[in-house]
Amino acid sequence: MADRESIPALLRVLKGERLDPPPIWIMRQAGRYLPEYRELRTRAKNFLDFCYSPALATEAVMQPLRRFPLDAAILFSDILVIPDALGRAVSFVEGEGPRLKPLVDEETWRFDDPERALQRLSPVYEAVERIKGAIPKDIALIGFCGGPWTVATYMLQGKGGEKDRSRRAVFERPEDVEALLDVLVEMSAQHLAKQVQAGADCVQIFESWSEGLSPLMFQQVIIGPTRKLVQRLRVLGVTVPIIGFPRGAGAQLEAYANETGVNALGVDTQTPADFAFKVAPDGMALQGNLDPQAIVAGGEALERAARDVLIAFKSAPHIFNLGHGITPEATPENLAHLVRVVKGQ
Ligand code: CP3
């Protein structure tokens, strides 16, 4: 048997072991709250070019690891590389977020051939290989993709925020939406499988727009497609743990935890830890769920909030994280403080 100490703590917890202190990583740990990231970012003319540069992506991953003793690295990329590769060009408008041409304005929905689309993403897999070679063995490397519904909402209405037009499309054009979700399931499965082949130790599905759906629609656009994605990954020979993060799922977390086949559950800030513990299958690892604003605030309030999270998840195999991504207003000093509190230093 492999030496237990050589298995990254994150992977041990994903397999159902409880560790004290828990492993910690931070969603969006590479990003604009770091001055060195903002400097690096100026070297590419737009954000997607940055993501498609294996050298820049690798450097962005290394930056937080140099500052903080984190237990995982996450690939530097974006969930919107998939629509971009499928020929639905994505642009990032300063201060406004991602923009695409809305599918709902078009009569026929056409996408580029998925095989060609995957070839366009080859710099992402090259980045995974480089990152794997650059990080210490005890740090787990996380690959990721967006959940099918979250990526579909960006494609349907051309931006995030209110999902009214996306939900209306599910009522008005159910077959078209189903076909779109099927394309995204297949692309996402291939995309994750390639990341794992290139060295990812586990993967996370970011279903960031899980809120506001009726139970029936939640089944239709989240549970069904996610279950297909997980099954497809297993058929493709992917055996690594899969973390599902259905942000905003609320009471439907129970269905997500039990019916999709994911191995671990990302818990958002609004969800009580004991609710997640109660509804998840026995021994399932839970990840979360500090409010990102606590890292902006810092000081004693941050310490208290972090300790509350540690206590709330004390019965579960727990991975310390935020309930959503760290914001640009957070400071590196406050994040360093948080990591010390969680590690009991
Ligand atoms: O460190 C990491 O977590 C890895 C990289 C990562 C990014 N985006 C980098 C990024 C990951 C995992 C994502 C996921 C992502 N992207 C999600 C799911 C998670 C979530 O936050 O809900 C979503 C919805 C997106 C789409 C997206 N990309 C948004 C909404 C934005 C912000 C736009 C803005 O201007 O605020 C992006 C851009 C983006 N992705 C940035 C980073 C570091 C900032 C862009 C920049 O540096 O110019």
Side-chain angles (χ1 to χ4, degrees):
M1 209 175 101
D3 174 16
R4 292 190 117 206
E5 295 306 313
S6 70
I7 303 172
L10 183 92
L11 296 182
R12 289 170 59 188
V13 173
L14 286 173
K15 298 256 161 49
E17 201 176 329
R18 205 194 125 71
L19 295 181
D20 196 8
I24 173 171
W25 69 281
I26 299 295
M27 287 191 277
R28 298 273 183 104
Q29 64 192 31
R32 285 173 296 189
Y33 75 101
L34 290 175
E36 60 270 35
Y37 171 80
R38 295 196 295 270
E39 198 283 320
L40 189 69
R41 177 69 182 75
T42 63
R43 298 200 211 162
K45 68 175 185 320
N46 65 58
F47 178 65
L48 283 180
D49 283 348
F50 189 108
C51 290
Y52 295 142
S53 159
L56 292 177
T58 303
E59 176 56 19
V61 171
M62 298 312 291
Q63 288 178 338
L65 301 184
R66 288 189 197 111
R67 279 185 185 256
F68 319 109
L70 296 162
D71 294 287
I74 180 161
L75 164 68
F76 193 90
S77 182
D78 198 84
I79 66 167
L80 299 177
V81 297
I82 296 242
D84 193 60
L86 284 168
R88 307 293 307 180
V90 178
S91 57
F92 285 84
V93 184
E94 201 52 52
E96 281 185 41
R99 286 289 181 278
L100 296 82
K101 244 174 89 196
L103 280 173
V104 292
D105 294 339
E106 295 176 22
E107 220 157 281
T108 320
W109 296 353
R110 284 199 196 85
F111 315 105
D112 289 357
D113 168 51
E115 207 137 302
R116 189 139 24 98
L118 273 171
Q119 272 165 22
R120 289 187 187 133
L121 295 179
S122 60
V124 176
Y125 317 126
E126 195 189 324
V128 175
E129 267 176 41
R130 283 200 195 202
I131 296 160
K132 185 69 175 178
I135 63 175
K137 296 258 173 303
D138 59 343
I139 294 187
L141 177 55
I142 305 169
F144 74 92
C145 70
W149 171 245
T150 297
V151 177
T153 59
Y154 278 101
M155 295 174 77
L156 287 165
Q157 59 183 37
K159 56 181 183 179
E162 284 304 314
K163 269 87 54 202
D164 293 359
R165 296 188 83 193
S166 299
R167 295 203 319 283
R168 198 187 317 151
V170 180
F171 288 114
E172 288 177 345
R173 300 175 68 169
E175 280 104 26
D176 288 339
V177 172
E178 194 185 337
L180 168 64
L181 289 167
D182 280 343
V183 170
L184 293 175
V185 165
E186 184 58 24
M187 269 298 288
S188 307
Q190 301 280 354
H191 185 51
L192 289 180
K194 292 216 178 242
Q195 292 176 40
V196 172
Q197 279 161 20
D201 298 303
C202 59
V203 295
Q204 176 156 320
I205 302 169
F206 286 89
E207 194 73 274
S208 302
W209 297 128
S210 297
E211 78 264 31
L213 299 171
S214 71
L216 197 64
M217 200 180 282
F218 192 87
Q219 282 289 332
Q220 192 180 352
V221 301
I222 294 194
I223 300 286
T226 305
R227 187 168 46 219
K228 277 194 205 166
L229 171 54
V230 171
Q231 282 170 351
R232 186 73 183 120
L233 275 170
R234 297 315 183 203
V235 168
L236 291 171
V238 172
T239 56
V240 303
I242 302 168
I243 308 166
F245 176 44
R247 188 171 68 85
Q252 303 187 83
L253 196 63
E254 178 162 17
Y256 189 93
N258 290 283
E259 297 172 26
T260 57
V262 299
N263 308 103
L265 200 57
V267 181
D268 60 22
T269 300
Q270 69 171 7
T271 302
D274 52 358
F275 173 77
F277 185 67
K278 219 166 28 209
V279 301
D282 271 354
M284 184 178 265
L286 303 179
Q287 173 176 286
N289 73 346
L290 181 70
D291 186 337
Q293 290 305 321
I295 310 189
V296 183
E300 269 181 44
L302 170 62
E303 275 185 35
R304 232 177 297 122
R307 294 217 165 87
D308 283 348
V309 169
L310 288 168
I311 291 165
F313 284 93
K314 69 177 184 312
S315 317
H318 180 217
I319 299 160
F320 197 100
N321 206 314
L322 309 184
H324 194 199
I326 189 168
T327 63
E329 299 76 28
T331 67
E333 294 70 30
N334 287 348
L335 180 50
H337 184 186
L338 170 67
V339 177
R340 281 196 302 274
V341 171
V342 171
K343 300 222 170 239
Q345 289 159 356

